[in-house]
């Protein structure tokens, strides 16, 4: 009987999801991509299992299951972000230098149309809010957000933000949270009324960029370049409840709701991995060595892998070395 109990216990332990044990990451592979120039956001289409990588005037596409390039969307002036609207089979790309949004088909990757934005300068971050059924761009040079109806493909409004916006996330219930990098504060936007209803100071966070949401515990994770930290914000009160040290030159942050891990990708070549022990208790568990200037990132919630884009640069410049652009893949250890 004892042997059967032990065997059953071992089988149960083997079947446990890795989230109960895996807390660190290791390098898995690199995926080379064509083309030169700079890079910005990455985005994942969970339904079609594709990873979209902004890359200068193009968007590269990688199949998450095959981990191989499967397409390119080109002919843009300066790509920043990608938003996914699965119910319409459409993707939306912020073309910052064109002050436009490029719409494409999620299955064929063919361009559907280009939406010229009114009153916008430098569209950067872009996101889809399912509650209002609208796409929002965050325009870094005009301190506002352009709002698009994804069905009609028309701009339907503009939201004044009161500062230079960085990344934004939706709670799916009518509120959008948006970092103001130059104000070191956080906007709360009513996605139906299209207006800012609250603004919270983020001190000691200074220069906030990336933003991630823990919807269950109602916590935001905002990464901050100037003080090299990630701050935890209670969305009910707007108060910063914890701040932890991270690397220099941070850009992105992602949260894995299953493993309770927070990933902060930094331009100094380190991704800081933090364990959420409770809503307001956190611990740095790993400083994952990646590559210098690998500061943008996406998380595959299915495999729990993280993907970072990077290129080599000519010494002392912002000019990339030709044919060095790639995506770095890291997996749970």
């Amino acid at each position: 009987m004892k042997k059967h109990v032990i065997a059953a216990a071992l089988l149960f332990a083997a079947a446990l999801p890795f989230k109960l044990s895996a807390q660190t990451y290791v390098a898995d592979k690199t995926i080379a991509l064509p083309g030169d120039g700079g890079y910005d956001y990455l985005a994942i289409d969970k339904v079609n299992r594709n990873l979209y990588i902004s890359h200068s005037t193009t968007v590269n596409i990688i199949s998450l299951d095959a981990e191989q390039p499967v397409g390119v969307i080109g002919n843009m002036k300066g790509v920043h972000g990608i938003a996914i609207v699965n119910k319409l089979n459409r993707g939306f790309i912020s073309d910052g230098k064109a002050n436009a949004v490029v719409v494409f088909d999620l299955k064929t990757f063919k361009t559907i149309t280009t939406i010229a934005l009114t009153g916008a300068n430098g569209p950067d971050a872009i996101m889809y809010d399912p509650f209002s059924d609208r796409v929002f761009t965050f325009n870094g040079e005009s301190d506002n957000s352009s709002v698009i109806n994804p069905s009609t493909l028309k701009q339907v409004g503009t939201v004044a933000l009161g500062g230079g916006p960085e990344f934004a996330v939706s709670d799916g219930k009518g509120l959008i949270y948006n970092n103001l990098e130059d104000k070191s504060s956080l906007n709360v936007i009513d996605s139906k009324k299209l207006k800012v209803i609250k603004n919270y100071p983020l001190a000691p966070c200074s220069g906030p960029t990336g933003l991630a949401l823990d919807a269950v515990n109602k916590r935001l994770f905002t990464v901050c370049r100037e003080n090299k930290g990630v701050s935890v914000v209670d969305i009910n009160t707007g108060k910063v409840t914890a701040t932890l040290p991270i690397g220099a030159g941070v850009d992105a942050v992602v949260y894995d709701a299953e493993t309770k891990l927070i990933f902060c990708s930094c331009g100094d070549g380190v991704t800081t991995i933090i364990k959420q022990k409770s809503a307001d208790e956190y611990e740095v568990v790993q400083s994952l060595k990646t590559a210098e200037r690998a500061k943008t990132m996406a998380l595959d919630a299915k495999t729990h892998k993280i993907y970072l884009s990077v290129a080599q640069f000519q010494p002392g410049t912002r000019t990339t070395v030709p044919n060095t652009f790639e995506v770095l893949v890291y997996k749970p250890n």
Side-chain angles (χ1 to χ4, degrees), residues 37-95:
Y39 48 93
D40 205 347
Y41 296 98
L42 295 86
I44 285 179
D45 176 355
K46 296 178 182 179
V47 173
N48 295 297
R49 303 284 301 147
N50 287 320
L51 170 67
Y52 292 88
I53 307 103
S54 68
H55 187 196
S56 187
T57 59
T58 67
V59 171
N60 294 107
I61 307 152
I62 290 173
S63 164
L64 286 171
D65 294 328
E67 291 189 325
Q68 294 291 332
V70 292
V72 176
I73 303 168
N75 300 315
M76 289 170 282
K77 294 183 178 180
V79 172
H80 285 285
I82 305 99
I84 307 298
V85 185
N86 288 115
K87 71 174 189 175
L88 297 173
N89 191 44
R90 291 172 177 173
F92 296 77
I93 302 167
S94 56
D95 189 350

Side-chain angles (χ1 to χ4, degrees), residues 113-237:
T113 191
T114 297
I115 305 168
L117 300 178
T118 301
N121 193 9
D124 189 351
I126 186 169
M127 57 158 290
Y128 171 64
D129 172 52
F131 185 86
S132 62
D133 191 22
R134 290 163 173 167
V135 172
F136 292 75
T137 68
F138 293 85
N139 310 320
E141 297 172 26
S142 53
D143 294 356
N144 60 7
S145 172
S146 301
V147 187
I148 294 169
N149 182 318
S151 296
T152 64
L153 303 179
K154 302 293 183 183
Q155 183 175 344
V156 294
T158 301
V159 183
L161 298 174
E166 259 289 339
F167 203 68
V169 294
S170 166
D171 70 353
K173 299 177 181 179
L175 297 179
I176 293 172
Y177 300 92
N178 170 230
N179 278 334
L180 296 184
E181 186 175 17
D182 58 342
K183 304 295 184 182
S184 295
S185 67
L186 177 77
N187 272 341
V188 184
I189 303 166
D190 186 311
S191 66
K192 284 280 195 179
K193 296 180 180 178
L194 301 185
K195 67 177 184 179
V196 175
I197 56 175
K198 293 178 183 176
N199 178 268
Y200 297 124
L202 290 175
C205 169
S206 183
T209 56
L211 192 64
L213 173 66
D214 170 9
V216 174
N217 290 302
K218 301 187 184 304
R219 295 293 185 268
L220 287 166
F221 309 111
T222 179
V223 288
C224 314
R225 283 186 183 171
E226 293 180 18
N227 66 307
K228 300 177 185 178
V230 54
S231 288
V232 183
V233 181
D234 183 334
I235 64 174
N236 293 316
T237 64

Side-chain angles (χ1 to χ4, degrees), residues 5 17 31-32 34 72 95 106 109 113 116 138 171 173 216 218 245 258 268 279-280 296 301 308 317 327-328:
V5 171
I31 304 171
V72 176
D95 189 350
L106 291 176
F109 311 135
T113 191
F138 293 85
D171 70 353
K173 299 177 181 179
V216 174
K218 301 187 184 304
E258 185 177 350
D268 64 358
D280 293 316
T296 53
L308 298 91
T317 74
V327 167
L328 311 177

